[in-house]
Amino acid sequence: MSDHAVAETTDAHASHGHGHHEHGPFQAHHFETPKQQFDAGKFGMWLFLVQEVLFFSGLFVFYAIYRINHPEIFEWGHQALDTTYGAINTIVLLFSSLTMAWAVRCAQLGKKNGLVFFLVVTLACAGIFLGVKYVEYSAKFEHGYLWARYFNPTSDNPHVAEPPSISKEVDKVVEKVESDLGDHSAAAHDAHSAEGHHHGPVGPPPPNAGVFFSIYFTMTGLHAIHVIAGIVAITWILVRSVKGHFGPMYFGPVDYVGLYWHLVDLVWIYLFPMLYLIE
Amino acid sequence: MSSTAAHHDEEHGLAHAMPVRALLTVFTILVVLTVLTVSISNFIRAHEQFHAWGVPIAMFIATIKAILVVLYFMHLRYDKSLNNLIFFFCFAFVFLFMIFTLVDSLQYQTDIENYAAVQPETPAPAAAAPAKAP
Amino acid sequence: MATVDTTTTYSPDSKPVNYLTQSHGFLSWAMTLDHKRIGVMYLVATSVAFLLGGTFAILLRTELWAPGHTIVSHDTYNQLFTLHGAVMVFLFIIPGIPAALGNFMLPIMLGAKDVAFPRLNLASFYFWCVGALFFLSALLLTGLDTGWTFYTPYSTTEYNTSKDEAIIAATMGVFVLGFSSIFTGLNFLVTIHTMRPPGMGWFHMPLFLWATYSTALIQVLATPVLAITVLLIIVERLMGIGIFNPVYGGDPVLYQHFFWFYSHPAVYIMILPAFGVISELISVNCHRHIFGYRFIAYSSVAIALLGFLVWGHHMFTSGQSKIASVVFSAITFSIAIPSAVKIFNWLATMYKASISFNAPFLYALSFMFLFTIGGLTGLFLSTLNTDVHLHDTYFVVAHFHYVMVGGSLTAFFGGLFHWWPKISGKMYSEFPAKVSAFLVFIGFNLTFFPQFVMGTRGMPRRYYNYLPEFQSFHQWSTIGAYVLGLGAIVAFATLVHSMFRGKKAPTNPWGGASLEWQCPSPPPLENFHEAPTVGDCYDYDRLRYDEKTEGYVMTK
């Protein structure tokens, strides 16, 4: 056990694999080697992800229970969701996962510029995701497709006959994103137009239809909170990357935040078919 | 703790670095799968006779996507076996949670329906028994 | 982990410097990353929570001295039992042994300098404090009367007497405390996996570490489900999502599934660390190698995993289906096996040993006695037909208090006395400590044994009023509660007194062979001046009593 509690501020490159008595600037005093620190952090992060999985599992369990006991609610309610938005967000998140994984690779190889670039792209994707989410939520609020207590669909209400300004912006965003994505969203676009422009559920709502929107809002809402937390974490990593903190012997935080970001993506991979596709 | 068992020419420092090509390949597969699942969903919507297949197919594709993300984007394939173990192990608990709760809930649905049939104005189960501790 | 506080520098030249004296001032504690100081802060904080919860208990028992109104109104009574349960469970028992004693002892017993994530450790402590503040606000807002379980639909309906703010504050507290617990568990798992020094294999670890490890596993796997459950309660109250609310087609029984998926494993979060403490106390004070080391170690893990399969036994009469009840009942019986494995191994360790009857050992003995009663009465309750009769009676109350108080609390006191010389560097006086052990044992039995009798005769729990025929039992119980409270006060007074008047503690006062008895009392900042020799932590033949220091020394 070495005695130096105060980490020497040696050059970051001095600690490359030589002995464990020379601590790098970011090696905590109670770890013997950078490897031990990295492994501890990584295992800790995986445990945190395990915790996250179980945290979300509660929502998945109640989805399963309501889905099996009351399929009619889901068949009716999911028509209020726009598959195009869901598909766009899925692609955006998958892309951000790619850039995040790429950022980790850059950190591992010590490529600072690449790291900064890919983190910025990841952040941008997260922003787009939340933007689309905002548009979707506004549409739900507008039509009264809300959770149980406030569930009050107004699609046949004369007030919404003329689309308010927000809808026009929604359409503009949709058109733009759709043209950007090209043929990827072709299938989704067909589905979208097939349902008519003001897509919406057909027929009167079954009893307790609001529970579908309770599930929709709690699941996507909790996911969105995780996206926001991810944005904060990635921003922190970005600041440290610009300062040049990371290199081949110290990239743990980038890797851990990356793992978290992939988990957020993972949850969405399930949420998308569960809420938007399955009937 | 054994060192990471990555037999790859891109072994760098503390952990395995994913080659760019692998990342791009995985991403392409993920996008294709997304398009596929949306197309299948549209197809099933149009053809009533395949209705029962919608859920299993969608969840199957989602699981393939999830596994790809976990193994390659999250490097779990090249990670320690302990991290693999703990991550896949936790799904056993999710499964347990879901199965027990689901089995029970399916069993008492008839009670709820019977109750609702007697009292049509409150289509809901009776209030649960007062609180109980261990 | 960028830099280390300059105030926490350790200089090897001045030997007497230890973790208590190496820096001073409020900030040196509030901002510390040292697991020992965090452990001590947890110890103080959880003890305060215990005294608070204990005060509620005393008030409850006083109220029940006579039928009808005695000292408080029925609404206040409902709030008192809610807060007693919530404070004791979430603020004291769950963090008590793992976060206080475990934080202090785990790295030392492992031979590590600190836990893997010291900042996360400090963050856990502050999460605990924030959670406690939320609880306190629920207390001041008065109106939380749902019971510590927050059962729906009572907790989610708008027309009950509980105010929105009180329930939201309390569930928010549970949410935050849950994360405190998760992070502590995560930290311990990583520490045990990655921080073991060379020579410290899995089966060289003291059994306390196996117990803490199993506990941490439950904390990481089960607590998130509680977090989402209470979060849903908060969202339910704020927005009315109707998930658990039958008015909107929700399902209140589902809430119980969610709640007990955490809260039954949580019972093992409370009792497993106690098992670990008792394994240490028995072996050290018998000066004898623990019998069946591997069996005890594996039984901890078995309890942790089996604990996830039995939550439905809390719901036998809640509208749960028959098939689920039968399955849960059957699995519940099996959990008695690993618990019994431990008890028998401890008994075998004591057989023909030369036992030191000091206060920690007395606490360990009373643990074995009380936990056995608590465990065996659990079998009555896991039997479906008897449970229908005993459900929600004082029998259940007595059963879980025998496990939680008779088990966890006595183990907490036993462990506290056992490791006090290490924590404070002072020896407590043996006589009042023994008196406290006797008072706790007698007071405890006097409080809860009559409750078994009342329960079988049909006295329901949580009732403000009762029939006159139960009065003598209630009065015995109330007297017992006073004696138990006195015992706890004597115990704490003994420890506080020793801080000022106690003799200086030797390195190894009891003759323990695990690593914590090889570092000075109290330990220095990074625990060991030189790397400790890892040997068999239950091999007492290596130790010899040294008259000069009044402690034991290693002979090889």
Side-chain angles (χ1 to χ4, degrees):
Chain A
M1 304 259 166
S2 54
D3 284 329
H4 43 250
V6 182
E8 295 100 330
T9 43
T10 52
D11 180 14
H13 298 285
S15 59
H16 271 203
H18 302 297
H20 52 259
H21 282 283
E22 285 182 40
H23 283 187
F26 299 113
Q27 190 184 331
H29 70 105
H30 57 290
F31 289 113
E32 298 291 311
T33 61
K35 174 98 181 128
Q36 188 190 23
Q37 178 169 0
F38 176 75
D39 287 344
K42 190 123 180 181
F43 182 48
M45 197 61 212
W46 277 108
L47 284 171
F48 182 76
L49 297 189
V50 162
Q51 181 277 128
E52 287 285 342
V53 167
L54 279 142
F55 186 66
F56 274 104
S57 77
L59 298 178
F60 282 86
V61 168
F62 82 58
Y63 174 90
I65 282 174
Y66 282 95
R67 166 93 211 167
I68 288 178
N69 290 324
H70 304 287
E72 74 284 355
I73 292 177
F74 289 79
E75 279 164 24
W76 184 85
H78 99 109
Q79 300 172 59
L81 307 185
D82 191 332
T83 312
T84 313
Y85 288 144
I88 291 167
N89 260 352
T90 309
I91 304 285
V92 166
L93 264 200
L94 287 175
F95 185 70
S96 77
S97 253
L98 169 74
T99 54
M100 191 70 223
W102 209 329
V104 172
R105 180 191 149 84
C106 288
Q108 285 173 314
L109 301 180
K111 293 175 181 163
K112 184 183 156 186
N113 291 341
L115 172 61
V116 171
F117 172 74
F118 284 115
L119 287 177
V120 170
V121 174
T122 311
L123 275 179
C125 287
I128 294 174
F129 180 89
L130 287 180
V132 175
K133 205 82 247 161
Y134 172 75
V135 170
E136 279 194 275
Y137 275 13
S138 323
K140 301 287 161 301
F141 273 78
E142 200 179 298
H143 292 98
Y145 293 135
L146 296 177
W147 49 91
R149 192 191 288 169
Y150 299 108
F151 178 67
N152 181 29
T154 53
S155 46
D156 49 345
N157 190 325
H159 289 294
V160 291
E162 187 180 315
S165 58
I166 188 102
S167 289
K168 285 174 191 158
E169 281 177 37
V170 168
D171 295 343
K172 262 186 260 166
V173 171
V174 173
E175 272 161 30
K176 190 180 180 319
V177 178
E178 278 176 357
S179 62
D180 287 355
L181 275 169
D183 55 357
H184 285 319
S185 62
H189 185 262
D190 290 346
H192 182 233
S193 47
E195 281 179 3
H197 201 72
H198 282 289
H199 60 282
V202 183
N208 299 321
V211 169
F212 175 80
F213 296 96
S214 298
I215 287 174
Y216 169 77
F217 277 106
T218 39
M219 290 187 113
T220 57
L222 196 67
H223 180 260
I225 290 171
H226 279 79
V227 172
I228 293 168
I231 289 176
V232 173
I234 294 171
T235 310
W236 171 62
I237 291 299
L238 183 61
V239 170
R240 290 191 66 183
S241 308
V242 172
K243 287 183 186 165
H245 285 183
F246 303 116
M249 290 314 286
Y250 180 73
F251 58 86
V254 186
D255 203 3
Y256 312 148
V257 170
L259 287 177
Y260 171 80
W261 189 250
H262 295 310
L263 188 92
V264 172
D265 184 24
L266 215 58
V267 172
W268 185 259
I269 285 178
Y270 279 98
L271 287 189
F272 171 57
M274 280 166 59
L275 296 171
Y276 292 80
L277 295 182
I278 290 175
E279 45 178 312
Chain B
M1 302 286 141
S2 62
S3 66
T4 40
H7 304 293
H8 207 279
D9 49 13
E10 298 222 25
E11 178 71 26
H12 269 274
L14 301 170
H16 173 265
M18 283 294 290
V20 173
R21 217 168 139 186
L23 291 176
L24 288 175
T25 312
V26 171
F27 175 68
T28 313
I29 299 173
L30 288 170
V31 171
V32 169
L33 285 173
T34 307
V35 173
L36 186 70
T37 190
V38 174
S39 314
I40 291 177
S41 159
N42 286 334
F43 176 77
I44 287 173
R45 207 170 292 174
H47 299 78
E48 265 307 306
Q49 67 269 35
F50 299 114
H51 194 258
W53 289 91
V55 179
I57 291 176
M59 293 326 282
F60 180 71
I61 293 176
T63 305
I64 292 178
K65 286 165 74 182
I67 288 173
L68 281 174
V69 169
V70 170
L71 289 187
Y72 295 100
F73 283 177
M74 297 168 95
H75 303 206
L76 198 57
R77 199 184 147 193
Y78 310 97
D79 213 328
K80 287 176 184 308
S81 46
L82 174 69
N83 294 345
N84 275 278
L85 180 78
I86 190 84
F87 191 66
F88 288 112
F89 183 60
C90 84
F91 287 97
F93 287 85
V94 176
F95 179 74
L96 203 77
F97 181 24
M98 194 173 279
I99 287 302
F100 270 106
T101 313
L102 208 54
V103 165
D104 181 41
S105 154
L106 289 176
Q107 291 285 321
Y108 65 67
Q109 284 308 308
T110 47
D111 297 346
I112 297 177
E113 280 153 23
N114 293 342
Y115 182 85
V118 180
Q119 293 192 321
E121 75 280 9
T122 50
K132 183 196 177 207
Chain C
M1 321 289 149
T3 49
V4 172
D5 242 356
T6 43
T7 51
T8 57
T9 316
Y10 159 67
S11 71
D13 309 325
S14 48
K15 280 255 168 183
V17 171
N18 60 51
Y19 83 99
L20 291 169
T21 56
Q22 47 92 23
S23 60
H24 297 279
F26 175 75
L27 278 183
S28 79
W29 281 83
M31 301 302 285
T32 185
L33 297 179
D34 180 14
H35 70 97
K36 296 181 288 295
R37 285 192 167 192
I38 296 172
V40 170
M41 292 197 293
Y42 258 122
L43 191 60
V44 174
T46 52
S47 301
V48 170
F50 169 69
L51 293 176
L52 185 69
T55 311
F56 293 139
I58 296 287
L59 290 173
L60 284 175
R61 285 313 324 168
T62 311
E63 167 55 39
L64 291 169
W65 179 261
H69 184 278
T70 313
I71 52 166
V72 294
S73 72
H74 48 85
D75 271 345
T76 315
Y77 174 84
N78 289 349
Q79 292 161 19
L80 279 177
F81 78 65
T82 299
L83 284 165
H84 165 69
V87 166
M88 281 300 199
V89 167
F90 293 114
L91 291 179
F92 172 63
I93 309 183
I94 287 177
I97 297 179
L101 295 177
N103 233 325
F104 195 98
M105 285 302 156
L106 183 135
I108 306 183
M109 286 172 120
L110 204 59
K113 290 179 194 168
D114 207 323
V115 292
F117 310 119
R119 285 185 194 177
L120 189 66
N121 201 13
L122 185 66
S124 294
F125 176 70
Y126 284 116
F127 274 129
W128 185 94
C129 294
V130 172
L133 283 179
F134 274 112
F135 265 61
L136 213 60
S137 62
L139 172 73
L140 296 176
L141 290 168
T142 58
L144 183 71
D145 60 355
T146 58
W148 73 277
T149 51
F150 307 110
Y151 265 15
T152 54
Y154 186 64
S155 63
T156 51
T157 38
E158 286 138 52
Y159 47 82
N160 71 16
T161 54
S162 298
K163 293 174 187 139
D164 262 358
E165 311 85 65
I167 287 179
I168 290 170
T171 44
M172 199 63 210
V174 173
F175 183 80
V176 175
L177 287 168
F179 278 94
S180 163
S181 180
I182 290 170
F183 289 142
T184 303
L186 189 153
N187 222 333
F188 287 179
L189 285 178
V190 177
T191 307
I192 291 177
H193 267 284
T194 61
M195 307 286 283
R196 278 174 291 129
M200 179 60 92
W202 282 91
F203 294 102
H204 294 113
M205 294 197 315
L207 288 165
F208 180 63
L209 297 190
W210 274 94
T212 322
Y213 182 84
S214 312
T215 311
L217 211 55
I218 308 176
Q219 285 176 311
V220 171
L221 286 169
T223 319
V225 177
L226 175 77
I228 191 70
T229 310
V230 294
L231 197 63
L232 287 173
I233 289 280
I234 295 173
V235 178
E236 178 74 60
R237 282 215 82 103
L238 284 175
M239 294 162 55
I241 53 169
I243 298 296
F244 301 128
N245 192 344
V247 173
Y248 301 116
D251 183 350
V253 179
L254 190 61
Y255 172 81
Q256 298 191 17
H257 276 296
F258 275 56
F259 183 79
W260 290 113
F261 182 82
Y262 164 75
S263 293
H264 193 78
V267 171
Y268 300 104
I269 295 179
M270 303 177 208
I271 195 70
L272 271 173
F275 288 150
V277 170
I278 298 303
S279 298
E280 301 300 319
L281 297 191
I282 299 266
S283 178
V284 168
N285 290 309
C286 293
H287 307 283
R288 192 136 181 259
H289 196 290
I290 190 90
F291 189 88
Y293 172 91
R294 282 188 185 229
F295 273 91
I296 299 182
Y298 285 137
S299 69
S300 291
V301 181
I303 289 175
L305 298 182
L306 273 177
F308 279 94
L309 297 168
V310 299
W311 78 83
H313 67 220
H314 296 268
M315 301 166 57
F316 286 161
T317 62
S318 304
Q320 184 178 239
S321 65
K322 292 185 189 74
I323 177 81
S325 295
V326 169
V327 171
F328 279 125
S329 168
I331 306 174
T332 303
F333 284 115
S334 69
I335 214 157
I337 298 167
S339 317
V341 163
K342 285 180 190 291
I343 294 281
F344 286 121
N345 279 308
W346 292 329
L347 289 176
T349 308
M350 287 159 65
Y351 178 67
K352 283 192 174 174
S354 63
I355 297 172
S356 308
F357 275 98
N358 53 22
F361 189 79
L362 291 181
Y363 274 110
L365 271 187
S366 86
F367 172 94
M368 288 174 68
F369 187 77
L370 301 176
F371 176 75
T372 305
I373 295 180
L376 289 176
T377 51
L379 294 178
F380 303 4
L381 295 169
S382 62
T383 314
L384 274 174
N385 48 359
T386 44
D387 183 74
V388 172
H389 177 68
L390 295 172
H391 177 86
D392 262 354
T393 66
Y394 265 72
F395 191 89
V396 178
V397 176
H399 156 70
F400 72 73
H401 278 93
Y402 263 83
V403 178
M404 299 289 94
V405 183
S408 303
L409 180 69
T410 50
F412 176 76
F413 276 135
L416 192 54
F417 278 112
H418 182 67
W419 283 307
W420 186 254
K422 192 56 65 184
I423 295 172
S424 69
K426 296 290 172 62
M427 295 301 286
Y428 61 85
S429 26
E430 198 61 49
F431 179 72
K434 279 182 182 162
V435 169
S436 80
F438 275 113
L439 286 176
V440 168
F441 181 76
I442 291 166
F444 177 82
N445 281 298
L446 200 55
T447 315
F448 293 105
F449 200 80
Q451 298 190 359
F452 277 130
V453 184
M454 271 194 280
T456 53
R457 294 185 183 187
M459 171 77 208
R461 66 187 292 200
R462 292 181 168 175
Y463 272 35
Y464 177 68
N465 206 345
Y466 54 84
L467 297 173
E469 67 195 76
F470 293 119
Q471 187 168 18
S472 59
F473 295 116
H474 274 297
Q475 289 182 341
W476 280 114
S477 191
T478 303
I479 294 168
Y482 292 149
V483 176
L484 180 55
L486 183 68
I489 288 168
V490 171
F492 282 120
T494 309
L495 294 175
V496 172
H497 175 261
S498 77
M499 288 192 328
F500 302 103
R501 295 288 165 84
K503 267 198 310 192
K504 198 182 160 346
T507 297
N508 189 354
W510 316 123
S514 43
L515 288 183
E516 81 268 31
W517 304 114
Q518 287 182 37
C519 73
S521 307
L525 179 64
E526 290 191 337
N527 300 340
F528 298 96
H529 289 307
E530 60 257 15
T533 46
V534 179
D536 184 344
C537 56
Y538 295 109
D539 178 12
Y540 301 100
D541 297 338
R542 297 182 292 160
L543 294 161
R544 178 177 56 77
Y545 189 72
D546 179 27
E547 294 286 342
K548 214 161 55 203
T549 58
E550 296 187 323
Y552 289 77
V553 287
M554 279 281 175
T555 52
K556 52 182 174 188

